[in-house]
Amino acid sequence: VPTFKVTLAYDGTGLVGWQRQAHGTSIQGLLEEALTTLDGRAVSVVGAGRTDAGVHALGQVASATLVRAMDPRTLMAALNAHLPSSVRVLAADEAPVDFHPRFHARTKTYTYRIWNAEALSPFERLYAWHLPAPILHVEAMATAAEAIVGGHDFAAFQAAGSESSSTTRSMHVSSVSRAGALVTYEVTGDGFLRHMVRNLVGSLVEVGRGKRSPAWLTEVLESRDRSRAGPTAPAGGLFLTRVDYDAPGSRP
Amino acid sequence: VPTFKVTLAYDGTGLVGWQRQAHGTSIQGLLEEALTTLDGRAVSVVGAGRTDAGVHALGQVASATLVRAMDPRTLMAALNAHLPSSVRVLAADEAPVDFHPRFHARTKTYTYRIWNAEALSPFERLYAWHLPAPILHVEAMATAAEAIVGGHDFAAFQAAGSESSSTTRSMHVSSVSRAGALVTYEVTGDGFLRHMVRNLVGSLVEVGRGKRSPAWLTEVLESRDRSRAGPTAPAGGLFLTRVDYDAPGSRP
């Protein structure tokens, strides 16, 4: 009864997100269908990050336990033969039977992309938030972003109506940079609340537009009040870039 | 009667290419329709490079002469309001009345993208040639590519059946590099024959696969014989990256 760790990339455009929903196509659903076909019985899949509708992934991680023994490379090829080209298995490895992609993840990294120029590149239509003007003040955004590094209660940046038992998370990297028209926010942390990255980006953009100071973002964070943060940035600019785990055997 | 130089990016997927055809949507046609609406009479557009069906552009250049005087920024905004989001005007400038995007171009640069890994990234489906295996020998490809720099008769790499008065062109840059799974060919020259870049890439891939030596590409070039070159690489991997002109006033 082998357990597999599967690394995935997907274009989330038109999908309802990672998790199965009553209606629409989910990545979890596509993967479970493909695995069920391969294994000849119902297979469940667990993902490291429950990406929302329209959010993309460059390195999502999922686990599945099969009845049938299978070489990981064969599994990868068979899954890619079943999945649509918008979802690709990039790697498959055997994993410990108790492997849990979310609970065992040490860090996750998300990237948010903003296209900050008058004309939106045709190649960024589905992969960036288009903010034509003004030119964002990237240094101010970077200063504001840097302030969330460390352990904090991120309740102010949680989706309205969501209930997490704890809203404290620890961020290791939170940086903003520009390359031409492309402004990129990268954030690595031990976990993320629902809509947290998109709410952080919505607030960082308020700072970049000069409507708010970098210190304001820290005030919002400390207030733990969702109503004080900026708007939620659109889903299409967000990528789950990677999920990192401790080296095998280093886990207690 | 102002003449404009317009710089364009487009996603060529599903389009019949730059030039108007009897059937299908062309970039030239889309641009002429938009300009005709703006100027209130039939406007013709000339492009620097006649990209084929499915080929993309990051920096195509076109010219158009209007009856109506218009601020270049207004023209850019008005065109982008008329064009589909797959075609974007990145810049518009007034140009000398005799400006010809193709005849006056000093150099054009094309980029060809190859995805050389087992699984094709969902984000590269329409923008790269997927070559899963073997791992391409990029050093050999780079050596072969380097050999076409300079002035040569490129008849061996011209599309079968095309008739150019001269098949001699001068290449300034011809380089191959790898970044992860992405192998990129970049070529800058004073002009290109029909299918020339895609035929060069098809031949470079034969070298990268170890089927041919780098010296073979030079032999094919010197033979001037189309039947000796490799296959034509698919359109979706090709981008017209930029068109360069002499600084205004430096032209004799």
Side-chain angles (χ1 to χ4, degrees):
Chain A
V1 189
T3 296
F4 292 97
K5 175 191 173 195
V6 169
T7 306
L8 297 152
Y10 46 82
D11 183 330
T13 310
L15 301 177
V16 297
W18 169 260
Q19 259 186 320
R20 270 183 186 281
Q21 307 285 337
H23 299 286
T25 306
S26 67
I27 301 99
Q28 185 185 36
L30 288 168
L31 205 52
E32 289 181 347
E33 274 170 42
L35 284 162
T36 296
T37 306
L38 292 176
D39 206 39
R41 41 131 232 155
V43 177
S44 298
V45 162
V46 176
R50 286 166 291 189
T51 54
D52 284 311
V55 173
H56 314 290
L58 292 167
Q60 168 77 286
V61 172
S63 73
T65 298
L66 303 186
V67 170
R68 193 170 293 186
M70 209 182 287
D71 174 66
R73 283 188 66 90
T74 307
L75 177 67
M76 172 175 160
L79 282 174
N80 282 335
H82 278 82
L83 291 164
S85 63
S86 57
V87 181
R88 287 293 91 177
V89 175
L90 303 181
D93 302 283
E94 276 217 52
V97 68
D98 70 339
F99 172 65
H100 193 291
R102 188 161 69 255
F103 299 156
H104 294 160
R106 184 165 46 82
T107 60
K108 276 180 247 180
T109 298
Y110 285 91
T111 305
Y112 196 95
R113 306 169 82 251
I114 294 167
W115 192 260
N116 187 211
E118 190 176 336
L120 174 60
S121 164
F123 308 102
E124 300 292 343
R125 280 175 290 170
L126 307 170
Y127 310 118
W129 184 11
H130 186 208
L131 296 173
I135 294 171
L136 294 172
H137 192 330
V138 167
E139 290 72 21
M141 293 171 76
T143 301
E146 176 70 22
I148 69 152
V149 171
H152 300 281
D153 183 338
F154 284 96
F157 298 101
Q158 181 172 227
S162 51
E163 290 172 29
S164 297
S165 52
S166 161
T167 48
T168 297
R169 297 289 185 276
S170 187
M171 298 298 122
H172 308 311
V173 174
S174 173
S175 64
V176 179
S177 60
R178 178 189 283 276
L182 187 68
V183 174
T184 302
Y185 175 56
E186 187 170 287
V187 61
T188 300
D190 64 354
F192 293 85
L193 305 171
R194 182 129 201 264
H195 287 185
M196 178 172 149
V197 181
R198 289 160 62 191
N199 288 339
L200 280 167
V201 170
S203 299
L204 287 169
V205 163
E206 302 281 292
V207 174
R209 280 171 164 155
K211 288 189 187 169
R212 302 287 192 170
S213 71
W216 166 80
L217 196 119
T218 309
E219 287 165 28
V220 172
L221 176 69
E222 288 169 357
S223 77
R224 302 174 194 182
D225 179 359
R226 172 68 189 99
S227 69
R228 295 192 56 187
T232 307
L238 184 60
F239 290 72
L240 172 53
T241 307
R242 51 185 297 142
V243 186
D244 287 294
Y245 297 87
D246 289 322
S250 69
R251 220 162 56 223
Chain B
V1 189
T3 296
F4 291 96
K5 176 192 172 195
V6 170
T7 306
L8 297 154
Y10 46 83
D11 183 331
T13 308
L15 301 177
V16 297
W18 169 260
Q19 258 185 321
R20 269 183 187 280
Q21 307 285 336
H23 299 286
T25 305
S26 66
I27 301 98
Q28 184 186 34
L30 288 168
L31 205 53
E32 288 180 348
E33 274 170 42
L35 285 162
T36 296
T37 305
L38 292 176
D39 207 39
R41 40 129 233 157
V43 177
S44 298
V45 161
V46 176
R50 286 165 291 189
T51 55
D52 284 310
V55 173
H56 314 291
L58 292 166
Q60 170 75 285
V61 172
S63 73
T65 298
L66 303 185
V67 170
R68 192 170 294 187
M70 209 181 288
D71 174 67
R73 285 188 65 89
T74 307
L75 177 67
M76 173 174 159
L79 282 174
N80 283 334
H82 277 83
L83 290 165
S85 63
S86 57
V87 180
R88 287 292 93 177
V89 175
L90 304 181
D93 302 283
E94 276 217 52
V97 69
D98 69 340
F99 172 65
H100 192 290
R102 189 160 70 255
F103 299 154
H104 294 161
R106 185 165 45 82
T107 60
K108 277 181 244 178
T109 299
Y110 284 92
T111 304
Y112 195 96
R113 306 170 82 251
I114 294 167
W115 192 259
N116 187 212
E118 190 175 334
L120 175 61
S121 164
F123 308 103
E124 298 294 343
R125 281 175 289 170
L126 306 170
Y127 310 118
W129 184 12
H130 185 209
L131 296 173
I135 294 170
L136 294 172
H137 192 333
V138 167
E139 291 72 21
M141 292 171 77
T143 302
E146 176 70 22
I148 69 152
V149 171
H152 300 281
D153 183 339
F154 284 96
F157 298 101
Q158 181 172 226
S162 51
E163 289 173 30
S164 298
S165 52
S166 162
T167 49
T168 297
R169 298 290 185 276
S170 188
M171 297 299 123
H172 308 310
V173 174
S174 172
S175 65
V176 179
S177 59
R178 178 190 282 276
L182 188 69
V183 174
T184 302
Y185 175 56
E186 188 170 287
V187 60
T188 300
D190 64 355
F192 292 85
L193 305 171
R194 183 126 201 267
H195 287 185
M196 179 171 148
V197 181
R198 289 161 63 192
N199 288 339
L200 281 167
V201 170
S203 299
L204 287 169
V205 163
E206 301 281 292
V207 174
R209 282 171 164 156
K211 288 188 187 172
R212 302 286 193 172
S213 70
W216 166 79
L217 196 119
T218 309
E219 286 165 29
V220 172
L221 176 68
E222 288 169 358
S223 77
R224 302 173 194 182
D225 178 359
R226 173 69 190 97
S227 69
R228 294 191 56 186
T232 307
L238 185 60
F239 289 71
L240 172 54
T241 308
R242 52 185 295 142
V243 185
D244 287 295
Y245 296 87
D246 290 320
S250 70
R251 220 162 55 223

